[in-house]
Amino acid sequence: MMRMMIPANHTIHGGGEGGLAWLIGFLKGMGKPAAAAAVVLLAVILSFLQKLGLEGEMLYAMFRAFLQLSVIGFVLQFIFSHHNVGWILLAYLFMVIVAGYTAGQRARQIPRGKYVAGASILTGTSITMLLLVLLSVFPFTPRYIIPVAGMMVGNSMTVTGVTMKRLRDDVQGQMNLVETALALGATPRQATHQQVKRSLVIALSPVVDNAKTVGLISLPGAMTGMIMGGASPLEAIQLQIVVMNMLIGASTISSIMSTYLCWPAFFTKAYQLDTKVFSQ
């Protein structure tokens, strides 16, 4: 059972235990992150000396990261201390909505692209998560489901956005071939088979390549976090293998689903290419 892979000394204390002790502990623990900001200041200085003009953007990015991570930390503290299925699902749906919006922005030329991306990500990650729970790989608790869902949603977001944009661009570049196939009686899927295949291969290749080189070039975040948290390397490896499996599964399902959901926007009811979609 994967629950054995988390160090035993990691406990979650509810907000009511010790009054504001958890908040004081949080503020004390921010000492090292604050010290690490010196590295960012070095980057800002180098950007200024090289006249890159990225100083303001770097500082804004770090401030936003600090703010976002602090807020999500307090939210997770609350959810972890209340073992409620509703909070787990709410957190998961929030991640899917944000991911769908972000992926849809990448393919903004596609009508209702944000909904297509969101539905695709929801399908891929929910199916993968359900299988993991049914196979007893992870228990259905906030401590496991939310971090695992976050990894899958983030990865599926990137893959889905690339798939949708690439598919639209490929169809636009080969409209004559697609229209000829449609005129000869091909279905939309048959007429765009090569474009769909190419977009899926391009989007999924980084995920597959990452799985091929994991542990050889870099140690992934989940594995590194466990090792730094006190778990043995062997336990960390076991968890990382599960993570890589679920990322490939969720990304593949999400990207394939997005190609099916894009068709209503690409074609008219008469199975002709909608030129308005490809004229932008």
Side-chain angles (χ1 to χ4, degrees), residues 86 147 157 175:
M157 174 190 71
M175 288 182 64

Side-chain angles (χ1 to χ4, degrees), residues 224-272:
T224 302
M226 286 195 63
I227 293 176
M228 294 178 66
S232 72
L234 295 180
E235 290 177 332
I237 288 172
Q238 293 171 359
L239 176 61
Q240 190 58 49
I241 292 174
V242 173
V243 169
M244 297 308 301
N245 290 337
M246 72 185 189
L247 292 183
I248 291 178
S251 298
T252 303
I253 297 173
S254 297
S255 57
I256 292 176
M257 179 61 65
S258 69
T259 64
Y260 280 95
L261 296 180
C262 279
W263 282 337
F266 288 171
F267 297 92
T268 65
K269 294 181 179 180
Y271 293 136
Q272 296 175 333

Side-chain angles (χ1 to χ4, degrees), residues 13-138:
H13 299 287
E17 297 183 11
L20 295 178
W22 60 273
L23 178 58
I24 296 175
F26 170 77
L27 295 176
K28 289 182 178 179
M30 290 303 294
K32 291 182 178 180
V39 181
V40 179
L41 294 178
L42 176 61
V44 170
I45 294 174
L46 292 174
S47 175
F48 175 77
L49 294 176
Q50 294 295 320
K51 302 186 185 325
L52 301 180
L54 296 175
E55 302 87 346
E57 190 171 351
M58 288 179 178
L59 293 174
Y60 170 72
M62 288 309 304
F63 172 76
R64 180 170 173 173
F66 167 80
L67 185 62
Q68 291 175 176
L69 290 174
S70 297
V71 171
I72 197 62
F74 290 122
V75 172
L76 291 178
Q77 176 78 15
F78 172 81
I79 295 176
F80 284 8
S81 61
H82 296 77
H83 296 278
N84 189 298
V85 174
W87 286 115
I88 297 176
L89 296 178
L90 186 62
Y92 168 62
L93 290 176
F94 175 78
M95 289 187 287
V96 170
I97 291 172
V98 174
Y101 177 84
T102 305
Q105 284 290 93
R106 180 185 290 269
R108 60 175 60 91
Q109 298 91 343
I110 299 177
R112 299 179 298 278
K114 298 179 180 65
Y115 297 102
V116 170
S120 302
I121 295 169
L122 178 63
T123 301
T125 55
S126 61
I127 291 176
T128 305
M129 183 65 69
L130 180 61
L131 286 174
L132 292 176
V133 173
L134 292 178
L135 293 173
S136 299
V137 177
F138 291 113

Side-chain angles (χ1 to χ4, degrees), residues 143-184:
R143 178 187 287 268
Y144 293 90
I145 298 301
I146 293 179
V148 168
M151 286 186 284
M152 287 195 298
V153 169
N155 211 68
S156 297
M157 174 190 71
T158 303
V159 171
T160 300
V162 173
T163 300
M164 294 170 59
K165 185 178 187 306
R166 183 70 190 193
L167 178 57
R168 186 260 179 192
D169 292 345
D170 277 5
V171 173
Q172 182 185 39
Q174 300 180 351
M175 288 182 64
N176 292 335
L177 293 176
V178 175
E179 289 176 337
T180 299
L182 292 171
L184 293 175

